[in-house]
Amino acid sequence: MTMDRFAKLTHWIGGLSRRQMIGTSVALCAVLFISVNIFAARALDGWRADVTETQVWTLSEGTETLLSDLSEPLHLRLYLSDRLTEAAPQLASYADRVRGMLQSYADQADGQITLEVIDPEPFSDAEDRAVGFGINRIALAGAPEPLFFGLAATNSTDGRSTIPVFSPDREAWLEYDLTRLVAELGQPEKPKVALLDGIGLSGNPMMGGAEQQSLAMLRELYDVEILSGDLNSFPEGTEVVAVVHPQGLTEPTLYVLDQWVMGGGALMAFVDPHAETQMGPQGMPAPDAASDFAALFEGWGVDFDATQAVADPTYALATNRRVQGRDVNVGNPAWLRLDASALDQDSPSLARLSAMVMTTAGSFTTGEDGPTLTPLATVSDAAVLASATDASNRFGDPRDLLTSSARVDAAPVVIARLGGAVQSAFPDGKPESSEWEADHIASTEAANVLLSGDADMLMDRNWIQQRSIFGAQIPQAFANNGDFFLNAVEQMAGGAALADLRGRAVDWRPLTQIEAMERAAEAEYRATEQALLDRIAETEAALRDLAPQDGDGSGLFSAEMVAEAENLRADLLAARAELRQVQYDLRSDVEALQASVTTLNVGLVPFLAAVIALFFALRRPKRSVPTRVAA
C-alpha cells in the first residue's frame, strides 16, 4: 500500500462517526475471527491440547502402539443421527468426544483406519445398513423417528464388530471399548486363559445368578476356559491360569498348578479369609467361606493367615449398620476403599487406576530368605489384623475391630506379585495320584505369580452398579476392580497394549477432606460415646431391677426405691443429653467446613468479583465535562 492510499484510508477512518466506527470494528473483528478459524482448521488439523484432569482426549501409549502396528486395514462407520443432539442436548458433548476420539484413531493409524460418519435418515439405505450391523435404535421423547448413536467396524475379510449404542455411563471406558474393538478385528485368534472359579464368576443359572462383569470383559479379549474336577494338564495354548477362591482342591490339581509355576507359567491366585459373595446350598451363605491355598503357599514360602482380616480406618468404606438399636452410617475398616495412595502407581496394571474396593481381605508376607514379594496394594500404618470371624459379622459394630485387635509392625500388603526363586511345594516329586506327564521341576528362578487377599473384589457387588439407559441395563463402575483384573492378565500374558486404557475415571469422587475430618472426629469422640452408651444401658438395667417383680405381693415402691429411681432417671436423662452433645460435636467440624465452602462459593467469590470490577471502574480516566459558554 502506497503512502497516498494509506493517507486516504486514514482520512476516511477519521471522518467516520462514533457509531460508524463501532460498526466497522465489529465487522472487521467478525471477518478476522472467521479467517483465523478457517486457517486454524486447515493448518492446525491434527493438533490438539488436552487440559482435562484425567486426559480424556489423549490417546494412551498402549492405544498408540496398537494403532501403529496395525497390519489389517479397518473401516469404521459412526452412525450418528444429526437430530440426536436436538432431542437430547445432554449428549452433545459426548457425541463430539466420540467423533473426536475416532478421528484420532484414524490419524494415528497411518492410513490403516478410515472413518465414515453417517446420518441414517429414516427409511434410507443407511438406516437399513445400520440395523443390519446391529446398531440399536434410540427412541427419545420429542423425536418423531428413532435415532442412532453407534459404531460398526469391519476389516478386509469378513470380520466385524459393533458398539450398538454409545452410553454416557460408559464414557469412562470409551477408549477401552474402542481399542478392544480394534484389537478384536486385528487379532485372528484370542489368547487363552484357564480359570478355576470357586466363587461364582460364571454365574449360576439355577439360582438366577448372572455372569459377573469382570469375566464378561475378560471373554471379550481372551478365550476363557473354565476348568473343574481333577486337573492333569491345561488346555493347549494357555497363557495365564487364574485361580479364584480355591477350596478343596485335590492333590493332582495342586501339583499341576505347582508345576505350571515352576515351569515359568503365569498364575493369578485370589484367596479370601471370608468371601461374602460366595453362595452355599439353596442360596444361603456358605458355611465355610475361607480359602487360603495353604498347600502351595507354605511350599513357596508365602505366609497367608486365612483366620485374620485387614482392618484399616484410613481406607474404611462407609456402611449402614444397626448399632445399639439404631441405624447409623459408620466406616467399616474391614471393607477397604483403596485410592491411588494405596496402589503402586509404578506398576502398569495399576498406574491409571484411581479406586479399588476389597472386603474382608487378608495380607501376605514372606520370610527374609523367601522369594521376592513386590507389594501392589498396601494399606496404611494404622491398620490392624482382626479376627476374620469378627470382621465378617454383619450385626456387630465394625469400629470395635480397631480396639479389639493388635497393631502390626508394618503396613499389611493385600495385593502383591511373587517373583524370584521359588521351590516346588512337592519336594518329593510327583505324587502317585497325579497323571502329569512332564518331568518334575524342583524350582524356578523367575516365578510369575500374582496374589490377591480378596476374591470378592472380582464380583459385581464390589465395583459395579446397574443403570437403565435407553431401556437396557448398562453396568456402571464405581471402582476399578475389573480394570485391574484385565490389566493384570495382560501384563502376565506379556501383552501390555491395552493395560493403560482402563480406569481413567470412575463415578466416585469422595470428599476426602471431609472424610478425613469425620475419621478424626470419630476417633476423638468414639471412646466417650461408647462410655455413655454403656452408662445408659447400665442405668436402664438398674431401673428394670427396681421394678417390683410379678407375684411379690406388694406391687408398691418404698420411699427409698422411689428416690433411687428418680436419681437413676435423672442420671439417664443427663447421660442421654451428654450423648446428644457428643454426637453433635462429632459433626460440628464437618458442618462448619461445609458452611465455609458454601459461603465461599455463594457469597465471597461474587463479592470479590464485584470489588475487582469496581476497582477497575474507578481507575478509568475521567473525561472533562464540556461547559456551555453563554452567548
Side-chain angles (χ1 to χ4, degrees):
M1 181 181 295
T2 64
M3 294 298 296
D4 185 51
R5 291 182 179 178
F6 180 77
K8 289 181 179 180
L9 179 62
T10 304
H11 178 72
W12 178 78
I13 293 175
L16 294 176
S17 66
R18 180 179 180 84
R19 180 173 297 180
Q20 290 173 332
M21 183 73 74
I22 294 175
T24 303
S25 300
V26 171
L28 290 175
C29 288
V31 171
L32 180 63
F33 175 78
I34 295 173
S35 302
V36 169
N37 276 275
I38 293 175
F39 171 78
R42 294 180 178 274
L44 302 179
D45 185 28
W47 290 60
R48 294 177 176 85
D50 190 352
V51 295
T52 57
E53 179 183 357
T54 54
Q55 299 291 291
V56 296
W57 292 90
T58 303
L59 297 184
S60 65
E61 184 178 350
T63 296
E64 293 178 350
T65 302
L66 180 66
L67 295 175
S68 63
D69 294 337
L70 277 181
S71 57
E72 178 78 9
L74 305 179
H75 186 66
L76 306 182
R77 298 173 179 86
L78 174 61
Y79 288 96
L80 176 60
S81 299
D82 288 343
R83 302 184 309 280
L84 179 67
T85 54
E86 298 176 4
Q90 66 273 19
L91 292 178
S93 61
Y94 185 41
D96 288 341
R97 186 188 171 206
V98 170
R99 188 200 298 257
M101 289 285 285
L102 289 172
Q103 187 60 55
S104 297
Y105 275 62
D107 294 340
Q108 292 284 341
D110 296 329
Q112 289 292 86
I113 291 180
T114 56
L115 173 64
E116 183 181 6
V117 181
I118 303 171
D119 175 21
E121 293 287 344
F123 309 108
S124 65
D125 292 339
E127 183 185 41
D128 293 339
R129 284 194 295 270
V131 174
F133 275 120
I135 307 300
N136 291 347
R137 291 185 174 96
I138 303 173
L140 295 177
E145 301 290 343
L147 305 176
F148 293 85
F149 185 24
L151 179 70
T154 57
N155 57 17
S156 60
T157 57
D158 58 350
R160 66 167 57 182
S161 185
T162 62
I163 297 178
V165 60
F166 285 102
S167 168
D169 277 359
R170 296 266 320 168
E171 185 169 5
W173 294 339
L174 176 60
E175 188 181 357
Y176 163 70
D177 289 339
L178 296 178
T179 303
R180 174 192 56 79
L181 180 144
V182 171
E184 280 185 352
L185 293 177
Q187 57 182 24
E189 187 175 345
K190 294 181 179 180
K192 182 164 291 186
V193 174
L195 173 65
L196 280 78
D197 178 19
I199 199 171
L201 293 179
S202 54
N204 187 345
M206 299 296 295
M207 302 299 299
E211 182 179 76
Q212 300 300 289
Q213 186 68 16
S214 56
L215 179 56
M217 292 171 62
L218 188 67
R219 290 188 190 276
E220 292 175 350
L221 294 172
Y222 291 89
D223 177 13
V224 180
E225 186 161 342
I226 298 178
L227 309 179
S228 60
D230 289 346
L231 298 183
N232 293 296
S233 63
F234 291 114
E236 184 178 356
T238 297
E239 295 191 11
V240 178
V241 176
V243 182
V244 182
H245 199 47
Q247 290 181 314
L249 299 184
T250 62
E251 190 176 48
T253 300
L254 292 171
Y255 181 72
V256 167
L257 293 171
D258 174 83
Q259 291 300 287
W260 172 261
V261 172
M262 295 303 108
L267 175 71
M268 306 172 69
F270 292 81
V271 293
D272 204 316
H274 181 85
E276 290 91 346
T277 56
Q278 183 184 10
M279 291 291 100
Q282 300 180 350
M284 299 297 292
D288 180 16
S291 58
D292 58 7
F293 228 19
L296 296 184
F297 283 170
E298 292 176 3
W300 295 346
V302 177
D303 183 21
F304 178 83
D305 190 348
T307 65
Q308 293 185 316
V310 174
D312 187 351
T314 304
Y315 299 111
L317 183 67
T319 56
N320 291 317
R321 288 291 180 89
R322 190 164 186 82
V323 179
Q324 299 288 341
R326 58 192 179 95
D327 294 326
V328 294
N329 185 268
V330 298
N332 186 350
W335 287 15
L336 306 173
R337 187 198 65 202
L338 304 177
D339 58 26
S341 64
L343 309 178
D344 179 16
Q345 297 296 306
D346 293 331
S347 170
S349 58
L350 293 166
R352 288 183 177 266
L353 307 190
S354 57
M356 289 203 300
V357 173
M358 304 180 73
T359 52
T360 323
S363 61
F364 301 95
T365 59
T366 57
E368 294 181 359
D369 299 330
T372 304
L373 191 70
T374 304
L376 298 181
T378 308
V379 296
S380 74
D381 294 333
V384 300
L385 291 180
S387 166
T389 302
D390 296 338
S392 60
N393 182 9
R394 295 178 296 166
F395 305 102
D397 189 340
R399 296 171 295 183
D400 292 339
L401 297 173
L402 301 175
T403 57
S404 61
S405 306
R407 295 281 295 271
V408 292
D409 296 333
V413 176
V414 292
I415 302 178
R417 184 181 293 276
L418 183 69
V422 173
Q423 301 294 320
S424 170
F426 293 84
D428 298 331
K430 181 175 70 174
E432 295 182 359
S433 56
S434 174
E435 298 179 7
W436 180 260
E437 297 180 355
D439 294 336
H440 176 74
I441 305 175
S443 64
T444 179
E445 295 298 322
N448 186 15
V449 180
L450 181 123
L451 306 173
S452 172
D454 182 39
D456 294 303
M457 68 177 298
L458 301 182
M459 303 295 282
D460 287 357
R461 185 201 69 164
N462 278 40
W463 70 288
I464 285 288
Q465 59 184 355
Q466 296 291 335
R467 298 282 297 274
S468 179
I469 302 295
F470 304 135
Q473 291 297 316
I474 303 297
Q476 182 184 29
F478 58 85
N480 298 121
N481 296 21
D483 304 324
F484 164 72
F485 183 45
L486 265 67
N487 286 353
V489 171
E490 286 160 358
Q491 286 294 317
M492 301 191 75
L498 302 177
D500 61 347
L501 303 184
R502 308 177 185 90
R504 289 198 173 197
V506 294
D507 189 20
W508 192 354
R509 289 181 173 268
L511 303 176
T512 54
Q513 182 64 29
I514 290 180
E515 289 186 350
M517 293 179 64
E518 287 179 336
R519 287 194 297 268
E522 185 173 286
E524 180 178 354
Y525 295 108
R526 171 65 175 154
T528 305
E529 181 186 36
Q530 189 59 49
L532 288 172
L533 289 171
D534 294 341
R535 177 179 159 192
I536 290 173
E538 292 173 0
T539 305
E540 290 175 341
L543 281 171
R544 287 193 299 268
D545 292 341
L546 281 178
Q549 304 297 319
D550 293 339
D552 63 358
S554 63
L556 299 175
F557 287 103
S558 65
E560 293 80 4
M561 293 173 63
V562 171
E564 185 175 356
E566 290 298 329
N567 291 334
L568 288 173
R569 288 194 182 94
D571 185 56
L572 180 61
L573 293 175
R576 286 176 175 170
E578 292 179 36
L579 178 60
R580 285 194 296 272
Q581 183 62 40
V582 167
Q583 292 169 345
Y584 172 79
D585 293 340
L586 185 65
R587 292 284 306 173
S588 60
D589 292 340
V590 174
E591 291 173 354
L593 177 61
Q594 292 173 337
S596 300
V597 173
T598 302
T599 302
L600 180 67
N601 286 291
V602 177
L604 184 58
V605 172
F607 175 76
L608 290 177
V611 169
I612 293 172
L614 181 61
F615 172 76
F616 282 104
L618 293 176
R619 286 179 56 88
R620 293 179 59 186
K622 295 183 178 180
R623 296 180 180 179
S624 59
V625 179
T627 57
R628 186 173 183 179
V629 180

